[in-house]
Amino acid sequence: ALPVYGAPGTSKERTFIAVKPDGVQRNLVGEIISRFERRGYKLVGLKLLVPPVELAKEHYADLSSKPFFAGLVDYMTNGRAPVVGMVWEGPSVIKQGRIMLGATDPKNSGTGTIRGDFCLSIGRNIVHGSDSAESAEKEISLWFGGKGEVVNWTSNNEEWVISEN
Ligand code: GDP
Ligand code: MG
């Protein structure tokens, strides 16, 4: 049977990746998209927005008791720069996306990762990526919940990138 779009563990697994306002401000949108494209992942959702406060609070709900929560929500939503939200599809994209991002704190992010190559501070770490299948499902529906916002399509070079065995 063909894999269902978005099903974790299949070649059509999906994750939510975002360039945060500092990444947009620093002109790293193209660099970050390019890294996922070149790896072979497929872009299936893309939008530029200043997220509403309620969206950011829900997105980071698991951190609501942290001392930095208010600052984090403000930084994501104050409009000094927008966020670029994306959905990427492909084998192991949730786990590999996190590896491509690097550790949350850039002090510990390896060179070659996005954070390890482009940032210095945990509070300005330029990208977000879903950390599990559950988070990916929640975040994709939160950011791309409207009809047709995530696009199912077949890449012409898919057979040169993905082998099912
Ligand atoms: P992530 O999944 O790697 O982004 O990390 P978390 O889910 O633990 O935290 C979400 C985001 O909150 C991080 O990417 C940081 O932008 C921010 N954050 C986490 N810990 C800290 C902290 O100790 N201080 C500050 N200022 N921000 C933090
Ligand atoms: Mg997280």
Side-chain angles (χ1 to χ4, degrees):
L2 290 170
V4 177
Y5 284 110
T10 74
S11 63
K12 299 200 178 303
E13 180 172 302
R14 287 173 171 176
T15 195
F16 175 70
I17 300 290
V19 185
K20 299 183 193 180
D22 48 334
V24 175
Q25 192 65 252
R26 294 181 53 203
N27 302 317
L28 291 169
V29 175
E31 170 72 34
I32 292 164
I33 289 177
S34 190
R35 287 183 178 220
F36 280 84
E37 281 189 326
R38 287 180 297 175
R39 184 75 189 271
Y41 289 123
K42 182 166 65 178
L43 185 62
V44 296
L46 177 68
K47 59 166 68 168
L48 178 81
L49 72 165
V50 176
V53 170
E54 285 314 309
L55 171 54
K57 284 184 172 168
E58 180 60 29
H59 174 78
Y60 283 127
D62 58 330
L63 300 172
S64 60
S65 62
K66 303 282 186 189
F68 57 82
F69 183 71
L72 176 62
V73 170
D74 178 66
Y75 141 73
M76 291 290 286
T77 63
N78 67 23
R80 292 188 63 207
V83 170
V84 174
M86 297 176 276
V87 182
W88 287 93
E89 178 187 292
S92 302
V93 70
I94 300 170
K95 180 181 166 206
Q96 289 302 323
R98 292 287 295 192
I99 292 171
M100 290 165 71
L101 262 53
T104 301
D105 187 341
K107 282 200 294 294
N108 306 316
S109 313
T111 297
T113 67
I114 293 167
R115 288 165 172 163
D117 287 349
F118 300 115
C119 49
L120 298 171
S121 294
I122 193 166
R124 295 291 181 271
N125 62 2
I126 71 172
V127 270
H128 167 83
S130 307
D131 65 4
S132 65
E134 297 69 42
S135 304
E137 188 185 5
K138 173 194 153 177
E139 292 166 7
I140 291 168
S141 63
L142 191 60
W143 291 79
F144 288 85
K147 191 168 160 33
E149 288 194 68
V150 178
V151 180
N152 300 333
W153 61 285
T154 302
S155 165
N156 283 334
N157 65 32
E158 218 151 281
E159 64 179 298
W160 298 98
V161 177
I162 298 169
S163 159
E164 294 297 342
N165 52 50

